[in-house]
Amino acid sequence: MKGLVLSGGKGTRLRPITYTSAKQLVPVANKPVLFRVIEAIRDAGITDIGIVIGDTGDEIRAAVGNGKRWGVQITYIPQDAPAGLAHAVKISRDFLGDDRFVMFLGDNCIQGGISPLIQQFGQSAHNAQIVLKQVADPRSFGVAELDDNGRIERLVEKPREPRSDLALVGIYMFDHHIWDAVGAISPSPRGELEITDAIQWLVSNGHAVYPYIHEGWWIDTGKKDDLLEANRLILEEMTPSVQGYVDRDSQLIGKVIVEAGAEIINSTIRGPAIIGEKTRILNSYVGPFTSIYHDCLIEDSEIEHSIMLEHSTVRGLPSRLEDSLIGRNVEVARSPLKPKAYRLMLGDNSSVGVL
């Protein structure tokens, strides 16, 4: 079997972070989401992986390389325009051939990986298997309706009155019949070849399309609050370890990871939290559900329930910073200048809360 990861898209819901970075490379618990996807596919026994890339392709290539660090072989498949998930499948035919494959959206996090799914599909005669998850409000998702035999009968995109609470997660298994499906469908009203239309074509033409209902958590990390939630869930599952330096005046409480080269000086870290390589925490408090990436500085400040990307600084804040996503090379500091005022330089689509 092969793996196909979709890592294009502009990440508009994560702007301004994604003006300068691919959304799939934003770290959750100090590891880019795309890396977690590659690891999930590798851990399921698949080592031949294609990555569909778009405008951020150069950045994806630089970060992922040839896949050697994970023991996999990476093939890059450029997509000229974001023309739909089914289009991404269609342009990957030379790579996939007639092999069965798993398609995984590169900005998704899923608890427990996909090994059970791969095993079930590999031992079956199914033509397709679609990962579904029960959700409280299906109206924001593609929704699958099942027949009396447990097969997928109908897919509805963002229904106003859902007849099912089973949402499409963004992980799909296909055999070679998908080529007939993507060749038969037409662009949707938004001008894209929709994967839901291709799956519906398989169903309508008598192919065996079954669900795999995921019992654990699943997060689409396309928005800030979703990233913070994925960060919270992953941090809760991690094993504490200290590879960096913690002085005698500091406290680590609960699940805390201090990576190599990090320094904790006269500070309290209350887990679950992770402090990245070569990051310094001075006279500060880092609260639960916080991920500080590498080469950062936090001094005379408090931060919790936040994600802070590399080479950023938080210094001298008069009150606690929380529920925040802080980008790369950012400085958040109390200004010594008078008169006292908020002095900001913000990118488009920024959001700031002040006292």
Side-chain angles (χ1 to χ4, degrees):
M1 290 183 61
K2 291 180 179 176
L4 184 67
V5 179
L6 273 55
S7 194
K10 297 182 181 298
T12 55
R13 295 178 297 168
L14 271 178
R15 288 176 177 170
I17 297 292
T18 48
Y19 279 131
T20 56
S21 176
K23 64 178 179 177
Q24 298 85 2
L25 295 179
V26 175
V28 173
N30 283 12
K31 183 181 294 184
V33 177
L34 178 59
F35 292 8
R36 296 185 180 277
V37 170
I38 293 170
E39 289 174 357
I41 295 173
R42 187 249 349 247
D43 292 346
I46 297 173
T47 58
D48 201 358
I49 301 173
I51 301 182
V52 177
I53 53 176
D55 292 344
T56 59
D58 289 344
E59 187 182 9
I60 298 292
R61 288 177 189 266
V64 175
N66 61 11
K68 184 177 180 180
R69 78 177 80 172
W70 298 283
V72 302
Q73 177 64 45
I74 300 293
T75 299
Y76 293 99
I77 305 163
Q79 187 180 29
D80 293 338
L85 303 188
H87 178 262
V89 173
K90 194 172 185 177
I91 65 171
S92 303
R93 185 163 189 177
D94 287 345
F95 166 72
L96 294 167
D98 285 333
D99 292 331
R100 287 183 160 208
F101 67 95
V102 57
M103 182 172 80
F104 203 133
L105 301 191
D107 54 1
N108 278 9
C109 288
I110 187 168
Q111 185 180 31
I114 60 171
S115 295
L117 166 67
I118 299 297
Q119 183 178 15
Q120 188 178 106
F121 186 70
Q123 295 174 350
S124 75
H126 302 342
N127 302 122
Q129 193 159 3
I130 314 303
V131 179
L132 306 176
K133 173 67 181 172
Q134 287 185 302
V135 296
D137 185 1
R139 291 175 297 178
S140 300
F141 302 92
V143 173
E145 299 173 8
L146 309 185
D147 64 18
D148 294 337
N149 296 316
R151 287 168 54 155
I152 293 178
E153 181 177 50
R154 190 166 76 112
L155 299 175
V156 183
E157 188 65 31
K158 298 179 181 178
R160 291 185 179 180
E161 298 182 5
R163 296 168 56 184
S164 164
D165 63 354
L166 296 173
L168 278 72
V169 162
I171 303 173
Y172 314 84
M173 304 284 298
F174 297 112
D175 70 4
H176 64 91
H177 290 91
I178 191 63
W179 305 124
D180 294 330
V182 297
I185 62 174
S186 300
S188 67
R190 61 177 184 168
E192 298 186 1
L193 292 179
E194 309 287 357
I195 197 64
T196 48
D197 290 343
I199 298 167
Q200 188 64 56
W201 187 94
L202 291 172
V203 172
S204 300
N205 284 272
H207 296 291
V209 181
Y210 282 86
Y212 179 90
I213 300 176
H214 179 63
E215 299 296 337
W217 54 259
W218 154 70
I219 302 286
D220 171 358
T221 61
K223 295 185 290 186
K224 185 205 75 169
D225 288 347
D226 295 327
L227 270 172
L228 291 176
E229 178 65 3
N231 190 63
R232 181 186 73 82
L233 292 166
I234 292 172
L235 284 175
E236 285 186 325
E237 296 181 348
M238 296 181 73
T239 302
S241 69
V242 178
Q243 299 178 46
Y245 172 72
V246 181
D247 77 348
R248 69 175 70 182
D249 298 317
S250 295
Q251 267 190 312
L252 305 184
I253 304 169
K255 290 184 178 181
V256 176
I257 298 171
V258 181
E259 296 185 330
E263 295 181 343
I264 314 298
I265 309 295
N266 192 34
S267 297
T268 297
I269 316 296
R270 185 182 298 274
I274 184 168
I275 310 301
E277 296 181 356
K278 300 180 183 178
T279 281
R280 303 186 75 212
I281 312 294
L282 306 175
N283 309 316
S284 295
Y285 168 80
V286 176
F289 311 119
T290 302
S291 294
I292 311 298
Y293 213 12
H294 63 83
D295 296 285
C296 291
L297 172 65
I298 299 178
E299 184 175 7
D300 298 322
S301 299
E302 299 185 5
I303 181 172
E304 72 176 36
H305 193 242
S306 296
I307 297 173
M308 185 170 171
L309 276 59
E310 66 267 31
H311 299 288
S312 290
T313 296
V314 171
R315 180 189 289 117
L317 297 191
S319 58
R320 184 171 299 178
L321 185 67
E322 61 182 30
D323 303 332
S324 298
L325 174 59
I326 301 168
R328 299 171 175 87
N329 304 299
V330 170
E331 182 174 3
V332 182
R334 188 172 188 175
S335 174
L337 300 178
K338 292 183 178 181
K340 291 183 178 179
Y342 296 111
R343 295 177 175 87
L344 308 173
M345 183 172 70
L346 303 174
D348 296 350
N349 301 298
S350 294
S351 176
V352 175
V354 297
L355 295 175

mmCIF file of all heavy atoms in Angstrom, residues 21 23 86 119 154 224 237 297 342:
data_model
loop_
_atom_site.group_PDB
_atom_site.id
_atom_site.type_symbol
_atom_site.label_atom_id
_atom_site.label_comp_id
_atom_site.label_asym_id
_atom_site.label_seq_id
_atom_site.Cartn_x
_atom_site.Cartn_y
_atom_site.Cartn_z
ATOM 1 N N SER A 21 4.051 30.988 6.325
ATOM 2 C CA SER A 21 4.349 29.592 6.645
ATOM 3 C C SER A 21 3.218 28.695 6.197
ATOM 4 O O SER A 21 2.046 29.081 6.230
ATOM 5 C CB SER A 21 4.570 29.435 8.158
ATOM 6 O OG SER A 21 4.776 28.089 8.495
ATOM 7 N N LYS A 23 0.475 25.979 6.618
ATOM 8 C CA LYS A 23 -0.317 25.642 7.808
ATOM 9 C C LYS A 23 0.036 24.260 8.349
ATOM 10 O O LYS A 23 -0.052 24.014 9.557
ATOM 11 C CB LYS A 23 -1.811 25.704 7.492
ATOM 12 C CG LYS A 23 -2.302 24.690 6.455
ATOM 13 C CD LYS A 23 -3.804 24.785 6.252
ATOM 14 C CE LYS A 23 -4.301 23.785 5.195
ATOM 15 N NZ LYS A 23 -5.762 23.816 5.043
ATOM 16 N N ALA A 86 -10.409 15.549 -4.930
ATOM 17 C CA ALA A 86 -10.438 14.540 -5.985
ATOM 18 C C ALA A 86 -9.441 14.875 -7.096
ATOM 19 O O ALA A 86 -8.868 13.969 -7.718
ATOM 20 C CB ALA A 86 -11.854 14.398 -6.547
ATOM 21 N N GLN A 119 -5.127 -2.047 8.772
ATOM 22 C CA GLN A 119 -5.264 -3.497 8.942
ATOM 23 C C GLN A 119 -6.638 -3.964 8.472
ATOM 24 O O GLN A 119 -6.754 -4.975 7.756
ATOM 25 C CB GLN A 119 -5.048 -3.875 10.401
ATOM 26 C CG GLN A 119 -5.100 -5.378 10.663
ATOM 27 C CD GLN A 119 -4.831 -5.707 12.126
ATOM 28 O OE1 GLN A 119 -4.869 -4.834 12.990
ATOM 29 N NE2 GLN A 119 -4.578 -6.969 12.416
ATOM 30 N N ARG A 154 -25.046 7.433 1.385
ATOM 31 C CA ARG A 154 -25.137 8.775 0.815
ATOM 32 C C ARG A 154 -24.231 9.723 1.595
ATOM 33 O O ARG A 154 -24.064 9.600 2.800
ATOM 34 C CB ARG A 154 -26.585 9.283 0.868
ATOM 35 C CG ARG A 154 -26.834 10.564 0.079
ATOM 36 C CD ARG A 154 -28.325 10.787 -0.104
ATOM 37 N NE ARG A 154 -28.964 11.268 1.105
ATOM 38 C CZ ARG A 154 -29.493 12.498 1.260
ATOM 39 N NH1 ARG A 154 -29.451 13.348 0.238
ATOM 40 N NH2 ARG A 154 -30.064 12.868 2.371
ATOM 41 N N LYS A 224 -7.172 28.667 14.875
ATOM 42 C CA LYS A 224 -6.374 28.834 16.097
ATOM 43 C C LYS A 224 -6.922 28.012 17.256
ATOM 44 O O LYS A 224 -6.174 27.301 17.938
ATOM 45 C CB LYS A 224 -6.331 30.311 16.493
ATOM 46 C CG LYS A 224 -5.426 30.589 17.696
ATOM 47 C CD LYS A 224 -5.824 31.843 18.454
ATOM 48 C CE LYS A 224 -7.063 31.627 19.304
ATOM 49 N NZ LYS A 224 -7.355 32.715 20.239
ATOM 50 N N GLU A 237 -1.167 13.424 26.655
ATOM 51 C CA GLU A 237 -0.768 12.042 26.406
ATOM 52 C C GLU A 237 0.748 11.842 26.422
ATOM 53 O O GLU A 237 1.223 10.711 26.365
ATOM 54 C CB GLU A 237 -1.321 11.580 25.048
ATOM 55 C CG GLU A 237 -2.844 11.540 24.998
ATOM 56 C CD GLU A 237 -3.366 11.066 23.653
ATOM 57 O OE1 GLU A 237 -2.569 10.990 22.691
ATOM 58 O OE2 GLU A 237 -4.569 10.782 23.555
ATOM 59 N N LEU A 297 12.437 32.971 24.176
ATOM 60 C CA LEU A 297 12.754 33.566 25.470
ATOM 61 C C LEU A 297 11.466 34.036 26.124
ATOM 62 O O LEU A 297 10.684 34.774 25.507
ATOM 63 C CB LEU A 297 13.709 34.749 25.310
ATOM 64 C CG LEU A 297 13.955 35.583 26.582
ATOM 65 C CD1 LEU A 297 14.661 34.763 27.657
ATOM 66 C CD2 LEU A 297 14.745 36.848 26.246
ATOM 67 N N TYR A 342 -0.542 51.398 23.998
ATOM 68 C CA TYR A 342 -0.326 50.158 23.265
ATOM 69 C C TYR A 342 0.323 50.502 21.934
ATOM 70 O O TYR A 342 -0.183 51.339 21.183
ATOM 71 C CB TYR A 342 -1.653 49.423 23.018
ATOM 72 C CG TYR A 342 -2.339 48.969 24.277
ATOM 73 C CD1 TYR A 342 -3.530 49.562 24.688
ATOM 74 C CD2 TYR A 342 -1.801 47.950 25.055
ATOM 75 C CE1 TYR A 342 -4.166 49.149 25.848
ATOM 76 C CE2 TYR A 342 -2.430 47.536 26.219
ATOM 77 C CZ TYR A 342 -3.613 48.139 26.618
ATOM 78 O OH TYR A 342 -4.233 47.726 27.765
#
